[in-house]
Amino acid sequence: MWSALSPLLRLPLLLFLFLSLGLLHSGQAQQRPRTTNVPEDVRPTPRILNAPQPNSPTRDTTAAVSGTPDSLNVAAGGRKGAVETTVKYKAQDSIRFEVQNKRAILYDKANVDYGTMNLKAALITVDYSKNLVTAEGTKDSTGRVQDRPLFKQGAETYQAGRIDYNIKTKRGRITDVVTQQGEGFIHAETLKKNALGEAFGRNAVYTTCNLEHPHFYINASKMKLVPGPKQKVVTGPFNLVIGDIPTPLGFLFGYFPSPKSNKRASGLIIPTFGQAADRGFFLRNGGYYWAANEHIGVRLTGDIYSGNADRFGGWRGTAEMQYITRYRFSGLFSFNYSEQPTERLLGSTDVNTNPAYNIPRSSRNFALAWNHTPVARPNGGRFSANVNVSSNNYYRQNSYNQRLYLTPAFQSNISYSKQLRNAPINYSVNLSQNQNTQAGTMDFILPDVSAQLARQYVYELLGLESRGKIYEQLAFSYTVRYNNTLSNSLPARQINGGAIPLLGGSNQTTVLPVRFSNLNKLLRNSQAGMQHDFGITLGSFNLLKYFNFNPGVTYGETWYFKELNYQFVREAQAVRVDTTRGFYRLYNFSANASLGTNFYGTIVRKGTHKIQALRHKVTPQLTFSYSPAPASPLDRNNRNQPFQLVQLGDLRDPSTGQLYSESALYRDNQGGLLLPRFSNSLFAARTTRDVRLLSFSLQNQVEMKVRNSNDTTGTTPFNKVSLIDGLDFNTAYDFAAPSFKLQDLNSSFRTQVARKLSVTVTGRFSFYQRDSLGVLKDKYLWQQDKIRLARLADASTTITYQFNPAQGNRKSTIRRDVAPVNDPSLGSPTRIDPYEDYVDFSIPWDLNTNLTVTYRDPGPLPSRPNRVRPNAYTGASLNLNGSVKLTETLRFGFSTNYDFVNKTPAFTNLDITKDLHCWQITGNWRPFGPTRGYFVNIAAKSTLLQDLKLSRNKTFLNF
């Protein structure tokens, strides 16, 4: 009957049939709303082929379909269909509809979208009678399968040989499947998926290698994939297979958490294990990571060492908390504590490669670090912290990091600053600490408070309008600072290098241990002071059209809360020193004026030369400063004195037997000795004598204008190139100085060539003569028979060059990929080994050089057998670091230093990295220096399997 219909009648009939089945002519199928005004179908019932028996289930050979044969609402008044949303489908070749079988077959590059589900394959069959979608690939002429089915549902992706999926039950079966879960890949012979999104695999493997035939995998007969925010992979008994070779490494079950990249999860941290040469077997960096919320992550890890026999090898614990609030602040707090024996527990017969044993100085050590970084906000307070406090030997006993191992001092600082809104006042509060791990000294500044009043113009405060008058430039500013310092270093008290006997205090520096029992002594050793500075700006004036004249006046006061009192004790023939508390002040006044200008020398070339012009900029400046001396110590009624006059009575010089009061040194002071009242205070006296200082500076810059050959639009026809970044000179002459009025001439030269070569030269020249012993005389070099202008006293030269292949781009523009983080988003512990997580194989080679040479005048004395003339070159070192790509997967890197003065290499690092696709081999060798040793590591690159590795090392710490 169908063949008897004309083509004109076939098209309307097909359209009517598809509409009745719920399929749109545009290739979309959607559920029709139920209506009550649709007339009954009066057509004859068509003949149905292979009609099922009443109440009999539909046959499902894939185990993915269940229920009654027809789940579609094909007529008015029928029940609700299984198609819950729009079905979009398309194919590149053709789409065939089998109306009687209720099927649609899509050929070549077929694509079906149903809600969050997307299916692509070479051949897709949609069976509406069974709610079943089937996808398969096709073989080409060589027998290779093309357009294998690709199934996506939400964030999950499956690639397989065949896919059967039930739209109604959302269950499916996938054969020969490959899917990705987090960083891992699942290969399974058969995978069944239920309505909850869970997948059950048979004869499956788990790997982090993204190849079709992976280099290694975990083989399990049963596997389950659990979706959700805490997606995971759970297996039954498994074993590890490397290079298609089964290994006995395995367990009764496997658990592989695979959190999404933007999600964090709490869980155990599996420790690494190994053998320490001095402390026995160890488990290291094992513990627990707790993702408290989206802002805080806590990591608790530890190490434990077995020791030898009944002697425990010690342990180390680390607690870290990282926090972050977007657009406000971020920070990391960590605390480390370790206990270890102070003697070697295990011996070694390895003479050649095992370094000398590093004997621990103490059994218990700790290290505390806190870093808090705020996000700058307008008119908001800024709180920041950078704290690093540790025992004197923690990093020398627990860190492989050369910088931490060799650094003798650590600084900490906590600060808060704020600019008051609608007010020209800002203030800051700082707490800081300086620690010297070698000397064992600690200095605390608790606190350092300062406030500043920005420059205020007088005419604005008086409410006057600006008319361009000179008096409108009159302005003032004010700064106040309070500082309190606490130190465990008690300074030595000496007079004239210890020649004069002293009562009170010690003539040697004493270091107190920082503990609560010494708190009183530490508080007594504290120093506090306050400084005030009141500045008056008189304005800026142009003189003779080209000169800029800037005068100013400053008044300052320094407040002290402790004073040293000296008294000569005749019975003891010594000077007694007492510390008294009270309020003491020193004030000072100074005036200054500067005169400066700029002038240029320019050479312009006509025509189309490559070098179009040269320009030389010269900036000379003269500055005169005047500050009167404070009150003389002879004026006992004036307390503005930084010194105290002490009468020495009949005290004699033990070397000459002469009375100190009769020597020329003390005759001008009426036989007395001038001693500082505020020695070792925070703020030194601003001035102790008259100052009339004339300073001179001269700055030079040379630039070149070069024609831009790359400009085709005419917008930037020339480029500026700096030939000399700076050629500067400065010196000063003090008219009030008793001797050596002319100060040394300091000079510096800076230039950079082609953004690769950087040269810096500094020098200091002296204008004075010296005697045969090298002691300076108050006579100028041009006053001697052999006239000279100046003598080079010391100099330094630093040359830096960066070698690298341009590859059409300058090094500064070569794209540098950010190394992937091998840790969760929050809480990254300080790694104990120096391995790099990431190596850029796109750069063929790279070399950076730095040569530093320092010179000091050795003096006029020649070398003799009993007197060696000092080397003029006090330092000459060459630093090299770089890397080279030997092959596409092998890279060698190094950093070294050679001291030409001592003729020794130091701190040499040799690194090698081999990329094995999903594995990586890294090695590090330090042949010289106190941190000598080697590391070798073969590990999987995935962070999920970061504990799947083999490590070997021997270092100065004997781990």
Side-chain angles (χ1 to χ4, degrees), residues 651-690:
L651 185 64
R652 296 180 179 272
D653 188 345
S655 60
T656 62
Q658 183 184 10
L659 291 173
Y660 280 107
S661 58
E662 295 180 356
S663 63
L665 181 63
Y666 309 109
R667 190 176 299 120
D668 295 338
N669 296 327
Q670 299 178 357
L673 179 65
L674 292 179
L675 298 177
R677 296 171 56 198
F678 309 105
S679 178
N680 301 318
S681 297
L682 294 175
F683 304 113
R686 302 291 182 93
T687 180
T688 58
R689 60 175 180 83
D690 279 346

Coordinates of all heavy atoms in Angstrom, one line a residue, residues 651-690:
L651 N 94.0 60.1 87.8 CA 94.1 58.8 87.1 C 95.2 59.0 86.0 O 95.3 60.0 85.3 CB 92.8 58.5 86.4 CG 92.7 57.2 85.7 CD1 92.9 56.0 86.6 CD2 91.4 57.0 84.9
R652 N 96.1 58.0 85.9 CA 97.2 58.0 85.0 C 97.1 57.0 83.9 O 96.5 55.9 84.1 CB 98.5 57.8 85.8 CG 98.9 58.9 86.8 CD 100.2 58.6 87.5 NE 100.5 59.6 88.5 CZ 101.2 60.7 88.2 NH1 101.6 60.9 87.0 NH2 101.4 61.7 89.1
D653 N 97.7 57.3 82.8 CA 97.8 56.4 81.7 C 98.8 55.3 82.1 O 100.0 55.6 82.3 CB 98.3 57.1 80.4 CG 98.2 56.2 79.2 OD1 98.0 55.0 79.3 OD2 98.2 56.8 78.1
P654 N 98.4 54.0 82.1 CA 99.3 52.9 82.5 C 100.5 52.7 81.6 O 101.5 52.2 82.0 CB 98.4 51.7 82.6 CG 97.3 52.0 81.7 CD 97.0 53.5 81.8
S655 N 100.3 53.1 80.3 CA 101.4 52.9 79.4 C 102.5 54.0 79.5 O 103.7 53.7 79.3 CB 100.8 52.9 77.9 OG 100.2 54.1 77.6
T656 N 102.1 55.2 79.8 CA 103.1 56.3 79.9 C 103.3 56.8 81.3 O 104.3 57.5 81.6 CB 102.6 57.5 79.0 OG1 101.4 58.0 79.4 CG2 102.5 57.0 77.5
G657 N 102.3 56.6 82.2 CA 102.4 57.1 83.5 C 102.0 58.5 83.6 O 102.1 59.1 84.7
Q658 N 101.6 59.1 82.6 CA 101.2 60.5 82.6 C 99.7 60.7 83.0 O 98.9 59.8 82.8 CB 101.3 61.1 81.1 CG 101.0 62.6 81.0 CD 101.1 63.1 79.6 OE1 101.2 62.3 78.7 NE2 101.0 64.4 79.4
L659 N 99.4 61.8 83.7 CA 98.0 62.0 84.1 C 97.2 62.3 82.9 O 97.6 63.0 82.0 CB 98.0 63.2 85.1 CG 98.6 63.1 86.5 CD1 98.6 64.4 87.2 CD2 97.8 62.0 87.3
Y660 N 96.0 61.7 82.9 CA 95.1 61.9 81.8 C 94.7 63.4 81.7 O 94.6 64.0 80.6 CB 93.9 61.1 81.9 CG 94.0 59.7 81.5 CD1 94.1 58.6 82.4 CD2 94.1 59.3 80.2 CE1 94.3 57.3 82.1 CE2 94.3 58.0 79.8 CZ 94.4 57.0 80.7 OH 94.5 55.7 80.3
S661 N 94.6 64.1 82.8 CA 94.2 65.5 82.9 C 95.2 66.4 82.3 O 94.9 67.5 81.9 CB 93.8 65.9 84.3 OG 94.9 65.7 85.1
E662 N 96.5 65.9 82.2 CA 97.6 66.8 81.7 C 97.9 66.5 80.2 O 98.7 67.2 79.6 CB 98.8 66.6 82.5 CG 98.7 67.1 83.9 CD 99.9 66.8 84.7 OE1 100.9 66.3 84.2 OE2 100.0 67.3 85.9
S663 N 97.3 65.4 79.6 CA 97.6 65.1 78.3 C 96.8 66.1 77.3 O 95.9 66.7 77.7 CB 97.1 63.7 77.9 OG 95.7 63.6 78.1
A664 N 97.4 66.2 76.1 CA 96.8 67.1 75.1 C 95.4 66.8 74.8 O 94.6 67.6 74.4 CB 97.7 67.2 73.9
L665 N 95.0 65.5 74.9 CA 93.7 65.0 74.5 C 92.6 65.6 75.4 O 91.5 65.9 74.9 CB 93.7 63.5 74.5 CG 92.3 62.9 74.1 CD1 92.0 63.2 72.6 CD2 92.4 61.4 74.3
Y666 N 92.9 65.9 76.6 CA 91.9 66.3 77.6 C 92.1 67.8 78.1 O 91.4 68.3 78.9 CB 91.9 65.4 78.8 CG 91.7 63.9 78.4 CD1 92.8 63.1 78.6 CD2 90.6 63.4 77.8 CE1 92.7 61.7 78.2 CE2 90.5 62.1 77.5 CZ 91.6 61.3 77.6 OH 91.5 60.0 77.3
R667 N 93.2 68.4 77.6 CA 93.6 69.7 78.1 C 92.5 70.7 77.7 O 92.1 71.6 78.5 CB 94.9 70.2 77.6 CG 95.4 71.4 78.2 CD 96.8 71.8 77.8 NE 97.8 70.7 78.1 CZ 98.5 70.0 77.2 NH1 98.3 70.3 75.9 NH2 99.3 69.1 77.6
D668 N 91.9 70.6 76.5 CA 90.9 71.6 76.1 C 89.6 71.4 76.8 O 88.8 72.3 76.9 CB 90.6 71.4 74.6 CG 91.8 71.8 73.7 OD1 92.7 72.5 74.3 OD2 91.9 71.3 72.6
N669 N 89.4 70.3 77.5 CA 88.2 70.0 78.2 C 88.4 70.1 79.7 O 87.7 69.5 80.5 CB 87.6 68.6 77.9 CG 87.2 68.5 76.5 OD1 86.8 69.4 75.8 ND2 87.4 67.3 75.9
Q670 N 89.4 71.0 80.1 CA 89.7 71.3 81.5 C 90.0 70.0 82.2 O 89.6 69.7 83.3 CB 88.5 72.0 82.2 CG 88.1 73.3 81.5 CD 86.9 73.9 82.2 OE1 86.3 73.4 83.1 NE2 86.6 75.2 81.8
G671 N 90.8 69.1 81.5 CA 91.3 67.9 82.1 C 90.2 66.8 82.3 O 90.4 65.9 83.0
G672 N 89.1 67.0 81.6 CA 88.0 66.0 81.7 C 87.9 65.2 80.4 O 88.5 65.4 79.4
L673 N 87.0 64.1 80.6 CA 86.8 63.2 79.5 C 85.3 63.3 79.0 O 84.4 63.3 79.9 CB 87.1 61.8 80.0 CG 86.9 60.6 79.0 CD1 87.8 60.8 77.8 CD2 87.0 59.3 79.7
L674 N 85.1 63.4 77.7 CA 83.7 63.5 77.2 C 83.2 62.1 76.9 O 83.8 61.4 76.1 CB 83.7 64.3 75.9 CG 84.0 65.8 76.0 CD1 84.0 66.5 74.7 CD2 83.0 66.5 77.0
L675 N 82.2 61.7 77.6 CA 81.6 60.4 77.5 C 80.1 60.6 77.0 O 79.4 61.5 77.5 CB 81.7 59.6 78.8 CG 83.1 59.3 79.3 CD1 83.0 58.6 80.6 CD2 83.8 58.5 78.2
P676 N 79.6 59.7 76.2 CA 78.2 59.8 75.7 C 77.2 59.5 76.7 O 77.3 58.5 77.5 CB 78.2 58.8 74.5 CG 79.2 57.8 74.8 CD 80.3 58.5 75.6
R677 N 76.2 60.4 76.8 CA 75.1 60.1 77.8 C 74.1 59.1 77.3 O 73.5 58.5 78.1 CB 74.3 61.5 78.0 CG 75.1 62.6 78.6 CD 74.4 63.9 78.6 NE 73.1 63.7 79.2 CZ 72.1 64.6 79.1 NH1 72.2 65.6 78.2 NH2 70.9 64.4 79.7
F678 N 74.0 58.9 76.0 CA 73.0 58.0 75.5 C 73.6 56.9 74.6 O 73.1 56.7 73.5 CB 71.9 58.8 74.7 CG 71.3 59.9 75.5 CD1 71.7 61.2 75.2 CD2 70.5 59.7 76.6 CE1 71.2 62.3 75.9 CE2 70.0 60.8 77.3 CZ 70.3 62.1 77.0
S679 N 74.7 56.3 75.1 CA 75.4 55.3 74.3 C 74.4 54.1 74.2 O 73.7 53.7 75.1 CB 76.6 54.9 75.0 OG 77.3 53.9 74.4
N680 N 74.5 53.4 73.0 CA 73.7 52.2 72.7 C 72.2 52.5 72.7 O 71.4 51.6 72.8 CB 74.0 51.1 73.7 CG 75.4 50.7 73.7 OD1 76.1 50.6 72.6 ND2 76.0 50.4 74.9
S681 N 71.8 53.8 72.5 CA 70.4 54.1 72.5 C 69.9 53.9 71.0 O 70.7 53.8 70.1 CB 70.2 55.6 72.9 OG 70.5 55.8 74.2
L682 N 68.6 53.9 70.9 CA 68.0 53.7 69.6 C 68.3 54.8 68.6 O 68.7 54.6 67.5 CB 66.5 53.5 69.7 CG 66.0 52.3 70.5 CD1 64.5 52.4 70.6 CD2 66.4 51.0 69.8
F683 N 68.2 56.0 69.1 CA 68.4 57.2 68.3 C 69.7 57.9 68.7 O 69.7 58.4 69.8 CB 67.2 58.1 68.4 CG 65.9 57.5 68.0 CD1 64.9 57.3 69.0 CD2 65.6 57.0 66.7 CE1 63.7 56.7 68.7 CE2 64.4 56.4 66.4 CZ 63.5 56.3 67.4
A684 N 70.6 57.9 67.8 CA 71.8 58.6 68.1 C 71.6 60.2 68.0 O 70.6 60.6 67.4 CB 72.9 58.2 67.1
A685 N 72.5 60.9 68.6 CA 72.4 62.4 68.6 C 72.5 62.8 67.1 O 73.3 62.3 66.4 CB 73.5 63.0 69.4
R686 N 71.6 63.8 66.8 CA 71.6 64.2 65.4 C 72.9 64.8 65.0 O 73.4 64.6 63.9 CB 70.5 65.3 65.2 CG 69.1 64.8 65.5 CD 68.6 63.8 64.5 NE 67.3 63.3 64.8 CZ 66.2 63.9 64.3 NH1 66.3 64.9 63.5 NH2 65.0 63.4 64.6
T687 N 73.5 65.6 65.9 CA 74.8 66.2 65.6 C 75.5 66.5 67.0 O 74.8 66.7 68.0 CB 74.6 67.5 64.8 OG1 75.9 68.1 64.6 CG2 73.8 68.5 65.6
T688 N 76.8 66.5 66.9 CA 77.6 66.7 68.2 C 78.5 68.0 68.0 O 79.2 68.3 68.9 CB 78.4 65.5 68.5 OG1 79.3 65.2 67.4 CG2 77.5 64.3 68.8
R689 N 78.4 68.6 66.8 CA 79.3 69.8 66.5 C 78.6 70.6 65.5 O 77.6 70.2 64.9 CB 80.7 69.3 66.1 CG 80.7 68.5 64.8 CD 82.1 68.2 64.4 NE 82.1 67.4 63.2 CZ 81.9 67.9 61.9 NH1 81.8 69.2 61.8 NH2 81.9 67.1 60.9
D690 N 79.2 71.7 65.1 CA 78.7 72.5 64.0 C 78.9 71.8 62.7 O 79.9 71.1 62.5 CB 79.5 73.9 64.0 CG 78.9 74.9 65.0 OD1 77.8 74.6 65.5 OD2 79.6 75.9 65.2

